[in-house]
Amino acid sequence: MTSPERIAEHLVLPGVLTAEQAARTVAGILAAQREDGAVPWFRGHHLDPWDHTEAAMALDAAGEHEAAARAYAWLARHQNPDGSWYAAYHDGDPDDVTDRGKESNFTAYIAVGVWHHYLSTGDDAFLDRMWPAVYAAVEFVLRLQQPGGQIGWKREPDGTPVTDALLTGSSSIHHALRCALAIAEAREEPQPDWELAAGSLAHAIRRHPERFLDKSRYSMDWYYPVLGGAVTGADARARLDDRWDDFVVPGLGVRCVVPNPWVTGGESCELALALWAVGESDRALEILQSLGHLRAEDGMYWTGYVYEGAEPAIWPEERTTWTAGSLLLAVAALGGEQATVAVFGGETLPVGLAPDCCGA
């Protein structure tokens, strides 16, 4: 098990994690990782590329750089010829694909993880190795961009594009495009088409909600435009304030979807990251401190909790690597860990070229 002595100060947060608790959480993610680098939700369940990357980023935040590098190597080895990954692999087995859809935000997220790993390690050779995978992934995603700037959800197994766009997914892609541009800049390989695409996407997110499917019942559609860096400053704070009472359950965390009485660890930690990114560290800390009831004895975190009804209960009964990973990343950001701050703070990331004005 990762020892408490190896846990950096940035993963210790009063009321959230002690060094010993952080060490157990890191060890829990490492225990779920396969020898080939794959990180499924938990052993015996599936892997999806987005959550696999989230777990790898948490490992880097904890100083487990070799394990994180193996996770990225898994992505590079098993990328499809068109630049995508499948939506789900049973237990991370590349030969046991359980969902052959190719989701745009799942594919894009490699850029966030690769940039985070590079900032964590300064490993230029890693960036060189991963550049072809990042480039191919971005190109796959941008082939799904619509004339209004939004990104189509996915390609069906037969290759048919699903042009309907998800606000959460497109917001995550906006973040990924900015990280991809940072990688290109570091390699001195400018990508002006990506800059234009990022600017057009940001404009759609900020000004044209009608271009996305209505998923406003879901908390992710509330905070992800902020977390993905498309909505910033006073607009971001106003957006978070606007539906705070709809989604935040004091002392328990964040609802996944209204009106269901179900709070989830992943959404709570992501909201905390969004709050921290707009300078609301006190509220971010309160959210993270409310999640102790989801922590299991092995250091991992239950996915969610149903807090009303005859028998309030943990549900579903699963402890996922990505829930634990999202908590470690939120703690690392509040703790000032440099790579996590740079990736989620966004101040150092390139921006798109399209003007954000009153035009179409």
Side-chain angles (χ1 to χ4, degrees), residues 19-355:
E20 182 177 358
Q21 288 172 330
R24 289 183 65 81
T25 301
V26 174
I29 297 174
L30 288 170
Q33 186 176 33
R34 290 165 40 119
E35 290 185 5
D36 64 359
V39 189
W41 285 22
F42 50 87
R43 292 309 304 266
H45 199 57
H46 77 257
L47 172 152
D48 73 72
W50 198 101
D51 290 312
H52 166 91
T53 300
E54 183 89 338
M57 292 171 68
L59 291 174
D60 267 326
E64 297 288 348
H65 303 309
E66 182 179 346
R70 289 192 291 113
Y72 294 117
W74 187 94
L75 287 173
R77 285 196 307 274
H78 302 300
Q79 189 173 30
N80 292 318
D82 63 2
S84 70
W85 287 271
Y86 295 120
Y89 304 78
H90 176 68
D91 200 35
D93 183 348
D95 297 320
D96 191 359
V97 178
T98 55
D99 184 343
R100 291 186 176 272
K102 300 172 178 179
E103 299 196 16
S104 53
N105 69 304
F106 282 12
T107 294
Y109 208 58
I110 185 176
V112 181
V114 166
W115 186 236
H116 183 262
H117 183 80
Y118 174 70
L119 293 177
S120 298
T121 63
D123 187 346
D124 291 313
F126 168 82
L127 209 61
D128 291 341
R129 289 195 306 274
M130 295 302 299
W131 171 246
V134 171
Y135 183 89
V138 172
E139 290 294 302
F140 170 86
V141 169
L142 293 185
R143 288 193 291 272
L144 285 165
Q145 188 163 34
Q146 304 304 301
Q150 71 275 26
I151 308 291
W153 175 17
K154 64 179 180 177
R155 287 191 183 273
E156 298 286 13
D158 65 0
T160 302
V162 177
T163 56
D164 289 336
L166 302 173
L167 181 58
T168 293
S170 284
S171 298
S172 177
I173 290 168
H174 177 263
H175 187 199
L177 287 175
R178 295 181 70 194
C179 290
L181 285 166
I183 295 168
E185 186 176 285
R187 290 180 49 80
E188 299 183 349
E189 296 193 33
Q191 302 294 325
D193 289 347
W194 295 3
E195 294 180 53
L196 289 168
S200 178
L201 175 58
H203 180 76
I205 292 169
R206 293 172 189 148
R207 299 289 182 254
H208 292 283
E210 77 280 358
R211 294 178 184 170
F212 302 91
L213 295 175
D214 182 6
K215 301 288 184 180
S216 56
R217 294 174 56 232
Y218 291 84
S219 59
M220 287 192 294
D221 263 27
W222 164 53
Y223 64 74
Y224 242 96
V226 177
L227 182 59
V231 179
T232 58
D235 288 343
R237 290 187 287 274
R239 183 182 183 91
L240 295 179
D241 286 343
D242 183 54
R243 300 201 64 190
W244 184 269
D245 292 338
D246 292 338
F247 291 114
V248 176
V249 183
L252 291 179
V254 176
R255 292 180 191 239
C256 177
V257 55
V258 293
N260 298 358
W262 181 46
V263 294
T264 52
E267 276 83 350
S268 299
C269 295
E270 288 179 338
L271 174 63
L273 267 174
L275 288 165
W276 164 82
V278 298
E280 297 277 357
S281 293
D282 289 346
R283 285 207 288 182
L285 177 59
E286 288 177 8
I287 293 291
L288 294 177
Q289 287 175 333
S290 73
L291 298 180
H293 68 108
L294 293 179
R295 185 176 175 87
E297 291 184 3
D298 62 358
M300 299 296 280
Y301 286 79
W302 299 103
T303 297
Y305 176 72
V306 178
Y307 57 86
E308 288 181 359
E311 296 184 9
I314 293 291
W315 185 84
E317 292 190 10
E318 59 184 32
R319 302 183 302 281
T320 51
T321 53
W322 50 267
T323 300
S326 65
L327 181 121
L328 291 175
L329 287 171
V331 171
L334 267 70
E337 193 275 316
Q338 187 173 6
T340 306
V341 166
V343 167
F344 287 100
E347 293 181 0
T348 62
L349 293 177
V351 296
L353 290 176

Side-chain angles (χ1 to χ4, degrees), residues 9-19 21-22 284-285 288-289 327 330-332 334-335:
E9 184 178 349
H10 61 253
L11 288 184
V12 176
L13 192 61
V16 182
L17 286 178
T18 65
Q21 288 172 330
L285 177 59
L288 294 177
Q289 287 175 333
L327 181 121
V331 171
L334 267 70

